[in-house]
Amino acid sequence: MNKADRILYIYSRLLQGQILKKSELAEQTGVNEKTIQRDLDDIRSFLHCNYTKPKNENQDDNTELLIYDYYKKGYCLKQEAQSRLSNNEVLAISKILLESRAFTKDEMMNILDKLIDNCIPRENKAVLNDMLNNERFHYVELRHHKEFLHWMTPLGQAIRESRVIWIEYGKLKGNATVERRLQPLAILFSEYYFYLVGFIENINKKEAFENPDDIFPTIYRIDRIKKLEVLNEHFRIPYANRFEEGEFRKRIQFMYGGKLQKVRFKYIGTSIESVLDRLPTARILSEEEGTYLIEAEVFGKGIDIWIRSQGESIIEYTMTTVSTLFNS
């Protein structure tokens, strides 16, 4: 094939939704892979020019882009609109963000503006802004008034690379600060705040911990981190003892640390579904005339707070310590 025929051949197959590999295209068209790469670059350049040229108000925004799909290990066409969030998705996510109150007002408004920019079609951006204007105007940021997004990427990279970190941390009570060397394990979000979960290095547990025999990681509010340094030191946790973020998250309430316990109680309220949603490890042992016997594994003192909040809906509850991690 000459170049024009070859590019049309490749482009027509892309339009059919096929995943194309350079090695196979080279064999089919009788050229080497470098030539195929230049053909793909020409197609990408053409699509890019089409993408960047001005559009009129009535023109469809579903522009095609040539991408390499790392999962399918080949080239394909993807509509630009498909990579953007729908109006329904943007509205739902915006509502969740506003309800979370996780960021300062400036941060929250900036995030929402960027999120709405992903709205399709373009004319619906004004509609979405109208739907959110009242909540945006009355948004109340949390009392700490601290911006902490700049900590998120360094912490995420430290977790990914298993690197030790040093932090200066403001304690919850008073103005005292402590310094900690940590093996960071996960970033979690719960009840307005982002948390860092990690093991402390070089600490006297008998002096610092209420429970010196606690084998579980410690939890820190990220907004209370005053200084952070990612050290050039790596830690290693054997695979068998690796931190199961999802399993940990299912068992912790209100981000209160402590012993792993098994709680058993009777529920006589109106919505058993709300109980099962609140306690992901919960299972119904029995049910009789609207009275449910529930058992769940949970960490620490947070479960006590939740049980008290349920008033007379929960009766006859007991707690026992679990000796092994994440019993079934």
Side-chain angles (χ1 to χ4, degrees), residues 24-78:
E24 294 176 356
L25 287 172
E27 183 178 350
Q28 291 161 0
T29 59
V31 296
N32 59 39
E33 291 187 28
K34 288 185 178 180
T35 300
I36 294 297
Q37 183 61 61
R38 287 194 292 268
D39 293 341
L40 292 168
D41 290 341
D42 287 340
I43 294 172
R44 182 181 285 112
S45 178
F46 167 76
L47 293 173
H48 177 73
C49 290
N50 184 58
Y51 171 69
T52 55
K53 69 181 182 182
K55 296 178 173 62
N56 59 54
E57 292 183 359
N58 298 321
Q59 188 173 350
D60 189 3
D61 199 25
N62 291 345
T63 305
E64 290 172 323
L65 302 175
L66 177 60
I67 66 165
Y68 182 81
D69 191 315
Y70 287 91
Y71 292 101
K72 298 178 180 177
K73 301 188 183 303
Y75 290 87
C76 64
L77 288 182
K78 183 176 183 181

Side-chain angles (χ1 to χ4, degrees), residues 142-171:
L142 298 178
R143 300 278 180 170
H144 61 68
H145 304 297
K146 294 178 182 176
E147 296 183 351
F148 58 88
L149 280 174
H150 57 287
W151 294 140
M152 300 295 279
T153 297
L155 288 172
Q157 290 177 337
I159 293 167
R160 181 175 178 270
E161 298 169 5
S162 298
R163 293 175 64 177
V164 178
I165 65 171
W166 172 88
I167 64 171
E168 182 180 311
Y169 185 76
K171 301 184 76 171

Side-chain angles (χ1 to χ4, degrees), residues 6 25 28 50 89 96 112 120 163 197 212 225 257 261 324:
R6 197 171 56 246
L25 287 172
Q28 291 161 0
N50 184 58
E89 291 167 335
I96 292 170
L112 289 174
I120 51 172
R163 293 175 64 177
V197 180
I225 295 177
Q261 303 173 92
T324 57

Side-chain angles (χ1 to χ4, degrees), residues 86-292:
S86 71
N87 298 323
N88 291 331
E89 291 167 335
V90 171
L91 180 60
I93 294 170
S94 298
K95 291 284 187 178
I96 292 170
L97 281 170
L98 287 163
E99 180 65 23
S100 75
R101 296 174 58 204
F103 308 104
T104 65
K105 188 166 187 175
D106 286 343
E107 287 178 323
M108 181 65 77
M109 298 307 114
N110 186 40
I111 291 171
L112 289 174
D113 286 341
K114 292 177 180 178
L115 189 59
I116 291 172
D117 278 341
N118 283 282
C119 193
I120 51 172
R122 292 176 178 178
E123 59 268 20
N124 282 8
K125 292 179 182 179
V127 176
L128 275 178
N129 275 315
D130 287 343
M131 291 179 179
L132 296 171
N133 273 343
N134 187 263
E135 287 179 89
R136 292 177 68 150
F137 180 78
H138 292 286
Y139 180 75
V140 179
E141 63 183 45
L142 298 178
R143 300 278 180 170
H144 61 68
H145 304 297
K146 294 178 182 176
E147 296 183 351
F148 58 88
L149 280 174
H150 57 287
W151 294 140
M152 300 295 279
T153 297
L155 288 172
Q157 290 177 337
I159 293 167
R160 181 175 178 270
E161 298 169 5
S162 298
R163 293 175 64 177
V164 178
I165 65 171
W166 172 88
I167 64 171
E168 182 180 311
Y169 185 76
K171 301 184 76 171
L172 288 174
K173 293 183 179 180
N175 298 317
T177 61
V178 294
E179 296 182 15
R180 293 285 186 264
R181 278 174 55 96
L182 301 175
Q183 298 176 359
L185 302 175
I187 295 173
L188 303 177
F189 176 80
S190 178
E191 313 291 340
Y192 307 120
Y193 305 112
F194 284 91
Y195 295 87
L196 172 68
V197 180
F199 287 117
I200 305 175
E201 289 189 348
N202 305 331
I203 191 170
N204 188 327
K205 289 188 174 183
K206 290 184 179 180
E207 294 181 0
F209 285 10
E210 181 180 335
N211 175 25
D213 298 323
D214 189 357
I215 63 172
F216 302 106
T218 306
I219 302 169
Y220 297 89
R221 260 178 47 187
I222 292 179
D223 62 275
R224 302 194 69 84
I225 295 177
K226 298 182 178 296
K227 296 179 182 179
L228 166 68
E229 183 178 352
V230 180
L231 306 178
N232 193 26
E233 301 176 34
H234 295 265
F235 63 91
R236 181 179 178 276
I237 297 176
Y239 184 79
N241 299 328
R242 71 192 186 283
F243 180 71
E244 296 282 2
E245 181 178 339
E247 293 297 328
F248 183 81
R249 186 67 184 84
K250 288 191 293 187
R251 290 165 171 79
I252 194 157
Q253 303 298 315
F254 304 101
M255 286 298 161
Y256 279 84
K259 297 178 181 179
L260 182 62
Q261 303 173 92
K262 187 167 286 186
V263 58
R264 182 175 291 191
F265 57 87
K266 288 183 178 180
Y267 178 75
I268 57 175
T270 57
S271 177
I272 184 62
E273 185 180 72
S274 65
V275 175
L276 300 178
D277 286 340
R278 183 65 194 184
L279 305 174
T281 62
R283 56 195 182 104
I284 300 173
L285 300 181
S286 65
E287 186 270 329
E288 185 176 350
E289 297 181 355
T291 298
Y292 296 87

